[in-house]
Each structure stands twice: as structure tokens, then as C-alpha cells.
Amino acid sequence: MSQSQQPEQKKAPKELTLEQQLLQNNPLHGLSLEKMITELVDHYGWEILDTALRMNCFNTKPSIASSVKYLKKTEWAREKVEGFYLSRFKRMPRASAAEFELPPRMRTFAHGITPKSPMELTVESILLSQAKAASAHKERSNNGRHRRR
């Protein structure tokens, strides 16, 4: 029998570790930066991304290409956008303290947890949320000062 006539041998599927299985449940698994930014811009638009994330790549002459280029170079910015994608666009559960220390692409999600529909955001709702967070932060800071005295 020649080589071309031999029956094909099927390769056994590679066993995935539990961590690999959990990482596959992360919506960022296998997602390119370009695809992620495109999805976010198509759903929210540049103005909402700029208001929510406060990055110049979403404000000054924004484009998919320039945003991807910036995010590839700037780790903290990429992680901030990926976190926004997970929490607001895919509405995945909040990361535990241990998971929060990991970059968003390395966070695991239990099997069966699926993304939800994107959170509806407006510039006004984002500004209100940011004002509440700033007020809460100021309150915590002031309470800490009073205790030290």
C-alpha cells in the first residue's frame, strides 16, 4: 500500500489542563485587539469610549488602527480597555482579589458563565458614575484622615 492509500490516522484531541479550559471561557481568549476595538466602537462609539476610558487614542483623530497601535505599546492602557470590554461590554462577573491582580486576558471564568448583552451607556451615565466614584473616594480619604488624629 502506498503512502497515499494508507488510511488517515486521527490524532487524539490534546487534553487541556483545567486552567486552559477556564481561560477558554474568557471572552478575550483568541480575540485580537483590532476585533475588540471594532466591537466596542461599533456598539458604543468613540465619544463614549473616550468618556469612559479617558484615553487620547479615543479622542484625538480616533481610528481603529491608531488605537490598536497605541494599545499594543501601552500595557496599562490595553489592560484598562480589556477590563472595560469584560465588565461593560461582555458583563462578566467581577474578578476576585487574586484574579484582579492578573491581566484581563489571564483571568479565568468558571465553565458555564456566559457573556451577557452589553451594558447600555451614555456619556451622561458615565459622568454620573465617575462623579459618584470620586465622591466615595473623597469620603473614604476624609474618614481616614480623621481617624489618624
Side-chain angles (χ1 to χ4, degrees):
M1 209 188 259
S2 72
Q3 227 179 0
S4 63
Q5 293 175 335
Q6 289 180 355
E8 283 187 36
Q9 292 182 357
K10 293 185 179 180
K11 292 181 181 179
K14 184 180 172 188
E15 286 291 318
L16 297 177
T17 66
L18 179 60
E19 184 179 20
Q20 288 170 324
Q21 291 172 5
L22 294 174
L23 279 173
Q24 284 187 325
N25 204 31
N26 184 326
L28 295 171
H29 181 76
L31 181 70
S32 70
L33 275 174
E34 182 176 359
K35 176 101 170 102
M36 179 181 57
I37 297 298
T38 301
E39 287 180 24
L40 289 172
V41 170
D42 287 349
H43 186 78
Y44 292 119
W46 294 111
E47 185 179 17
I48 286 178
L49 290 178
D50 176 43
T51 304
L53 298 167
R54 298 179 182 175
M55 290 184 202
N56 215 16
C57 67
F58 298 137
N59 183 357
T60 307
K61 296 183 184 177
S63 73
I64 302 292
S66 66
S67 297
V68 168
K69 183 177 177 180
Y70 174 73
L71 295 174
K72 281 184 177 181
K73 291 181 190 177
T74 316
E75 185 178 352
W76 68 265
R78 181 177 60 251
E79 289 180 5
K80 187 173 180 179
V81 173
E82 289 172 347
F84 178 86
Y85 183 87
L86 287 176
S87 66
R88 302 289 174 94
F89 188 68
K90 293 296 183 177
R91 294 180 50 205
M92 297 299 282
R94 180 179 230 111
S96 67
E99 288 275 321
F100 191 75
E101 296 299 318
L102 297 172
R105 284 193 183 267
M106 297 306 297
R107 294 181 189 159
T108 59
F109 295 96
H111 183 69
I113 293 178
T114 56
K116 298 176 185 168
S117 58
M119 186 180 283
E120 292 306 316
L121 300 172
T122 63
V123 170
E124 293 77 20
S125 70
I126 294 166
L127 292 173
L128 181 61
S129 176
Q130 289 171 346
K132 284 181 182 177
S135 176
H137 176 73
K138 185 177 179 181
E139 184 67 28
R140 284 191 307 272
S141 296
N142 286 340
N143 286 342
R145 283 191 200 123
H146 294 303
R147 287 187 196 137
R148 290 184 201 141
R149 290 182 183 171

